[in-house]
Amino acid sequence: MQYIELLLIGIFTALLGTSLPGLLNMTVVKIGKNEGYKSAYTFISGVSVVIAIQVYLAIFFAEFINFNEKVTLLFREIGLFVFIVLTIYFLFFAEKIDRKKQEKKLENNEVKKKNKFIYGLFLAAINIFPIPFYVFLSATLVSYNVIVFGNPNSSFFTLGVVIGSLIMFYLYLRFFNNKSKDNSFILKNINYVIGGVTSVVSLLTIYQLVK
């Protein structure tokens, strides 16, 4: 029963954490629009691997750092730099690069799929904000006598997070790739949507750092 509880908590928190438009779920939408569902699923599989690693790291950190403010500050500073770079890329360069890619079709689809898996690994790896989030969540759960430390507890919790993330990515992919006018506008301007999301995250991070 305890393991099922951890699995459900992981699913629920992941659904909440990925429900708002973010870098990863909007990139899933973009890949689905430009290259089809198969490439999007390949990207998602790469992201899922990194999410699992990040949750394990977060649980490990939660046991040992005890909310060290310097560690939290370091995470925020690294995240700020990454999201500023991403904002510049998506707002000013991504559209031009996408057009060049569409003009030059790739001949080997297998290479394309592998690249999407690696791209998923890379983009999820530089998106470090889930680590402090799950550090805080792990410690909070422990304060309510829900133990996520040690195996198999951490494995069930991590599995729940991965399942919840997969569900939300799938919902984003399906919802935004139907043919409604509102979604069509979003898809046509997907790079600017992602750039807007990363700019908001950057501004919030700056606010937290200077507060």
Side-chain angles (χ1 to χ4, degrees), residues 15-26:
L15 287 172
L16 286 179
T18 56
S19 59
L20 294 175
L23 174 65
L24 296 177
N25 46 26
M26 295 312 294

Side-chain angles (χ1 to χ4, degrees), residues 33-93:
K33 171 209 168 190
N34 291 337
E35 301 177 29
Y37 284 175
K38 287 185 179 179
S39 291
Y41 293 145
T42 305
F43 172 81
I44 290 170
S45 63
V47 170
S48 300
V49 171
V50 175
I51 288 175
I53 294 171
Q54 287 176 330
V55 177
Y56 265 113
L57 285 174
I59 293 171
F60 174 80
F61 286 142
E63 286 188 90
F64 294 104
I65 69 174
N66 292 320
F67 296 104
N68 188 308
E69 290 185 6
K70 290 183 179 179
V71 176
T72 304
L73 182 64
L74 178 63
F75 274 122
R76 287 178 178 173
E77 288 175 344
I78 294 172
L80 175 61
F81 172 76
V82 168
F83 274 87
I84 287 175
V85 171
L86 289 173
T87 298
I88 294 170
Y89 170 75
F90 281 108
L91 290 180
F92 301 104
F93 299 104

Side-chain angles (χ1 to χ4, degrees), residues 3 16 31 71 87 101 109 117 134 139 160 165 182 185 190-191:
Y3 302 144
L16 286 179
I31 294 172
V71 176
T87 298
K101 283 182 179 179
N109 289 330
F117 180 80
Y134 285 109
S165 301
D182 292 339
F185 174 80
I190 192 69
N191 288 316

